[in-house]
Amino acid sequence: MRHPVFILLLLIVSLSAVEAQQTYRVTSDKRYLLDGFIDHFEDTTTRLSMQQIVRLHKQGRFKPLPSSLLNQGYTASHHWIHLRLASSTPQTAFLELDNPRINDFWFYQLTGNNLIHQVLTGDARPFDSRAFPSRNWLFPISLTAKAPTDLFIMVAKRHEVLGVRVSLWGSNTFERHDRNDYLSWGFLTGFSLLILLINTVAFVATKDRIYFWFICLILAIAFHISGQSGLGFQYLWPNTPAFNRLDPQLLSGWLIMLTQLQFMQQFIGQKAGQSRACYAVNGFKYGLTLLLVLNIVLRVFDVFPLHHFQWTFNATLALIVISIGLAFWSIFERIRQGEKVVIFYTFTFSIQLVGYLLVFFINLAFTRGKEPLFQFDSYILIIINLLFDLLVLTSGILFFWFQKYQRQNRLLLTALHQSEQAQSKRIIDALEMERNRMAEDLYDDVGAMLSTAIGYVSSTLRKPDVRERFPMLGEARGLLDRAVENLRTVSHNLMPKNFAQLGLAKSLAETVDKVGPGSSVQFEYVVIGQERRFDAATEVQVFRIAAELINDIIKNSTATQATLQLVFNHQTLTLIAEDDSPRTPVYNNLSSKVNFVQGTLAIDTAPTGVTTIIEIPYQHQPV
């Protein structure tokens, strides 16, 4: 049996060793790992004072944590953590507790039995109650070389999930970390605002709802991140701590699901009449909207059941699973059609799903009070998803919807062109009817009257005495003959008689035969290839084009030789007019006539003459 004094000495040495292990020595300016140096005690009564907690610690009632993470799941207790720090030189360190949403937060620093520092804060109090203005819980700790210092920190939530990670920083290291941290948040905020501005401009310009729902999705995610990260409390609602209770974490998560599903429907073009999944998605959205409104009403009137957060949090996890299932159902229903926009969304959603599942399992681990497999907070994954949405989905929206507007513009231009063609056709048909009427009137009425006048003059000239006394009657007879001939030429140019039966080639041959003898220009008319017939309207327009080419040669040139060629190719009709007059041709609406039959016009002027080439495609079915 061992001596009692030896046993007492052994116990003293053992206690000193335990105390030495629980004292963390700050030796340099860096970030320190505190695994194994943090003690924890749960006050289920929520009534213990600081003095009572110190006594319980001295009695050994605190239990060491295996890591720097305190995860208690759903809880309403006061949870105390203790950390003893020592330093060989005077310096300042920063203690960080990474969970911006802590309802009650008490911080005490003791050296020996003296209280050095005390802070009573929490997200249920105004933001300026914090010791250090940061999105997280930060406490500057002054260390001396004389004695170690004890930190007692109480964290509490009201029947919510409690998870806190403790970190210790050297002052210079913390300044760099804090500066880089806020610089990253500033970059994310600026980039998000830029994407919001681009989509807002696109929505105002196009009135397309895809941009509106994408804006809503970005705002919902941004609101959720601002609440989870503590930035919202620091910058947006510092004097309204009531927003920190449920709204940022749960209700904004429901908004994300709502806007994500609505955006998905707009993006892949899901419609009720064309999709069975659409009815299920719409039913889920209506039910989720009703739950959201109910929670907002409870929030306004501050009427919450005792375990409201637990019910809502578990419901959120279940809703995430349901929304993912509905999204996949909707995608698989549309992906069979092979549309590029659906394939693109399937790719992006599959990548997002990895983040959603990680968020689900991390939150599930926290609700069960277990150590999560991934050592970072779930809102970091939501930030990564947000960046992915901002970059990839914005690019996809702009790309696919630009293609969509291009197709719509092409359809509008085609419809406008068709409308213009139809209007031009109606005008030309009206003009042709008027030309035919004028030709018939000239030939039947004026021509008949001139023929009667010629008959009267001719009968009068048969009398010798009249012919001798009135020699001018002979000249009048000649003028009348020329008038009748000119009238026939004009009527023929307006519309050749029996044009529909003769066709384009023979009608142009008659025209050349009629104008040739009365002109100083010697015309040659050539037809190459087997004649193909156009529809009546097109043939009339081609005849008008050829007649204008002939009239220009006769009236505006000093040509002596001219050739008119009709070349019936396999796909086009080529009309070629050539003359030997060095001049600039003067055409009357020739370009508009060629455009009406969708032809091309080329004019070559040279000292040796003018060549005009017109190609007209067989766009209409030949008769």
Side-chain angles (χ1 to χ4, degrees):
M1 184 175 182
R2 295 181 179 180
H3 195 276
V5 175
F6 176 78
I7 296 175
L8 180 61
L9 290 174
L10 182 63
L11 289 174
I12 293 174
V13 171
S14 300
L15 290 174
S16 300
V18 171
E19 182 177 353
Q21 289 177 353
Q22 292 178 344
T23 302
Y24 194 95
R25 293 197 171 273
V26 182
T27 57
S28 61
D29 189 8
K30 63 180 182 179
R31 183 180 183 181
Y32 305 95
L33 298 177
L34 301 177
D35 295 352
F37 289 90
I38 301 174
D39 300 329
H40 166 251
F41 175 77
E42 181 179 2
D43 174 17
T44 57
T45 67
T46 68
R47 297 189 180 92
L48 296 179
S49 64
M50 177 60 191
Q51 291 76 13
Q52 293 172 314
I53 291 296
V54 172
R55 284 197 297 270
L56 289 173
H57 177 262
K58 291 181 178 180
Q59 295 171 8
R61 299 287 297 276
F62 278 64
K63 297 180 180 179
L65 292 176
S67 68
S68 60
L69 174 66
L70 171 66
N71 182 20
Q72 294 298 307
Y74 295 108
T75 181
S77 302
H78 284 184
H79 292 268
W80 290 85
I81 57 177
H82 167 261
L83 175 66
R84 173 168 291 183
L85 299 177
S87 176
S88 58
T89 58
Q91 60 177 302
T92 299
F94 283 85
L95 186 72
E96 179 183 24
L97 286 88
D98 190 7
N99 186 340
R101 293 193 63 255
I102 301 295
N103 301 146
D104 294 302
F105 208 113
W106 302 347
F107 174 83
Y108 300 93
Q109 180 182 355
L110 287 80
T111 300
N113 294 322
N114 298 322
L115 180 63
I116 304 300
H117 198 48
Q118 172 182 312
V119 178
L120 303 179
T121 183
D123 65 12
R125 301 170 185 248
F127 183 80
D128 57 9
S129 64
R130 301 191 179 194
F132 192 88
S134 174
R135 65 180 185 86
N136 250 334
W137 308 102
L138 289 169
F139 300 93
I141 303 169
S142 298
L143 301 174
T144 65
K146 297 179 180 179
T149 185
D150 289 281
L151 306 178
F152 289 90
I153 302 168
M154 193 283 294
V155 291
K157 281 198 172 185
R158 304 179 184 93
H159 302 280
E160 298 182 23
V161 175
L162 176 63
V164 180
R165 195 179 306 277
V166 185
S167 301
L168 186 66
W169 301 82
S171 59
N172 293 330
T173 304
F174 167 73
E175 288 179 3
R176 291 193 299 270
H177 161 73
D178 190 59
R179 182 171 57 252
N180 294 334
D181 185 45
Y182 276 91
L183 183 62
S184 300
W185 283 111
F187 170 77
L188 177 63
T189 303
F191 186 62
S192 302
L193 291 175
L194 176 62
I195 297 299
L196 280 174
L197 178 61
I198 293 173
N199 284 274
T200 301
V201 172
F203 173 67
V204 173
T206 64
K207 300 297 187 297
D208 197 321
R209 287 183 294 177
I210 184 69
Y211 297 105
F212 172 77
W213 287 113
F214 188 60
I215 292 170
C216 293
L217 176 61
I218 295 176
L219 291 176
I221 297 176
F223 184 62
H224 185 83
I225 292 175
S226 65
Q228 288 285 81
S229 63
L231 291 171
F233 191 31
Q234 182 175 2
Y235 294 108
L236 301 179
W237 54 83
N239 298 317
T240 313
F243 278 101
N244 296 323
R245 183 172 181 179
L246 295 175
D247 304 85
Q249 186 171 8
L250 295 180
L251 303 187
S252 59
W254 293 7
L255 283 174
I256 292 174
M257 283 185 278
L258 277 174
T259 53
Q260 181 77 50
L261 289 174
Q262 185 67 34
F263 171 75
M264 176 202 69
Q265 289 181 312
Q266 293 290 327
F267 196 91
I268 67 176
Q270 187 184 61
K271 297 180 181 178
Q274 304 171 356
S275 169
R276 289 180 296 176
C278 183
Y279 296 101
V281 174
N282 288 339
F284 177 78
K285 290 191 303 181
Y286 296 145
L288 187 56
T289 302
L290 182 62
L291 289 175
L292 183 61
V293 172
L294 177 61
N295 274 272
I296 292 176
V297 172
L298 293 175
R299 194 76 187 88
V300 170
F301 291 98
D302 199 20
V303 180
F304 287 94
L306 183 62
H307 298 285
H308 173 264
F309 181 87
Q310 182 174 352
W311 297 342
T312 309
F313 200 95
N314 291 336
T316 301
L317 297 179
L319 291 173
I320 290 175
V321 175
I322 296 173
S323 64
I324 291 175
L326 291 174
F328 268 111
W329 184 12
S330 302
I331 290 172
F332 288 149
E333 191 178 54
R334 291 293 307 280
I335 201 172
R336 301 172 185 173
Q337 302 176 10
E339 298 178 15
K340 292 182 179 180
V341 64
V342 180
I343 296 174
F344 173 81
Y345 188 81
T346 303
F347 167 74
T348 57
F349 184 76
S350 299
I351 295 178
Q352 288 177 322
L353 180 62
V354 176
Y356 292 146
L357 291 178
L358 289 175
V359 170
F360 175 83
F361 287 115
I362 290 174
N363 288 330
L364 188 63
F366 273 105
T367 60
R368 299 296 183 267
K370 298 179 180 179
E371 181 81 11
L373 296 177
F374 308 97
Q375 299 298 319
F376 47 81
D377 292 315
S378 60
Y379 76 87
I380 300 298
L381 294 171
I382 299 176
I383 293 173
I384 295 174
N385 271 350
L386 174 61
L387 285 172
F388 183 81
D389 289 344
L390 293 177
L391 289 170
V392 179
L393 283 181
T394 298
S395 302
I397 292 174
L398 294 177
F399 175 76
F400 287 109
W401 263 250
F402 178 73
Q403 285 191 333
K404 172 185 173 182
Y405 290 128
Q406 277 189 324
R407 289 193 299 269
Q408 290 178 347
N409 287 336
R410 284 196 295 267
L411 291 175
L412 288 174
L413 289 174
T414 302
L416 179 61
H417 182 66
Q418 291 175 347
S419 176
E420 290 177 347
Q421 279 193 322
Q423 183 68 21
S424 299
K425 186 177 183 303
R426 286 193 293 269
I427 294 173
I428 289 174
D429 289 343
L431 290 174
E432 290 303 323
M433 291 177 61
E434 186 64 20
R435 287 173 184 267
N436 292 337
R437 187 190 63 80
M438 291 175 62
E440 291 176 358
D441 289 346
L442 289 173
Y443 189 81
D444 296 337
D445 296 338
V446 180
M449 293 173 64
L450 288 175
S451 297
T452 303
I454 290 173
Y456 288 154
V457 174
S458 297
S459 63
T460 305
L461 288 175
R462 291 192 188 101
K463 299 176 181 181
D465 56 340
V466 175
R467 190 168 50 246
E468 292 177 0
R469 291 177 58 187
F470 302 101
M472 294 181 64
L473 288 176
E475 296 180 7
R477 166 63 189 272
L479 291 175
L480 287 173
D481 290 337
R482 289 174 60 188
V484 170
E485 186 63 29
N486 288 339
L487 181 61
R488 288 175 180 173
T489 302
V490 171
S491 300
H492 189 275
N493 288 339
L494 286 173
M495 177 56 65
K497 194 174 182 180
N498 301 325
F499 177 83
Q501 289 77 18
L502 293 176
L504 177 63
K506 291 183 179 180
S507 297
L508 283 177
E510 282 192 359
T511 301
V512 172
D513 290 341
K514 288 183 179 294
V515 301
S519 171
S520 60
V521 182
Q522 183 178 355
F523 275 93
E524 180 182 3
Y525 177 62
V526 180
V527 178
I528 301 174
Q530 185 178 0
E531 181 179 4
R532 297 181 62 180
R533 300 293 301 274
F534 292 91
D535 62 271
T538 304
E539 285 197 342
V540 170
Q541 289 307 307
V542 176
F543 177 81
R544 301 292 181 211
I545 291 170
E548 184 164 348
L549 294 175
I550 295 171
N551 290 334
D552 177 71
I553 294 173
I554 294 173
K555 295 180 180 180
N556 302 318
S557 72
T558 59
T560 59
Q561 299 287 333
T563 302
L564 181 66
Q565 298 183 52
L566 275 182
V567 182
F568 292 95
N569 299 312
H570 180 66
Q571 295 180 342
T572 61
L573 167 64
T574 304
L575 181 62
I576 305 173
E578 299 176 284
D579 65 78
D580 57 359
S581 175
R583 64 187 177 87
T584 300
V586 180
Y587 295 124
N588 182 24
N589 296 326
L590 181 64
S591 297
S592 60
K593 293 176 183 177
V594 173
N595 291 335
F596 178 76
V597 294
Q598 298 184 6
T600 58
L601 173 64
I603 302 173
D604 180 29
T605 59
T608 57
V610 178
T611 301
T612 303
I613 302 175
I614 298 172
E615 289 191 353
I616 303 168
Y618 296 118
Q619 58 181 3
H620 303 284
Q621 291 292 333
V623 179

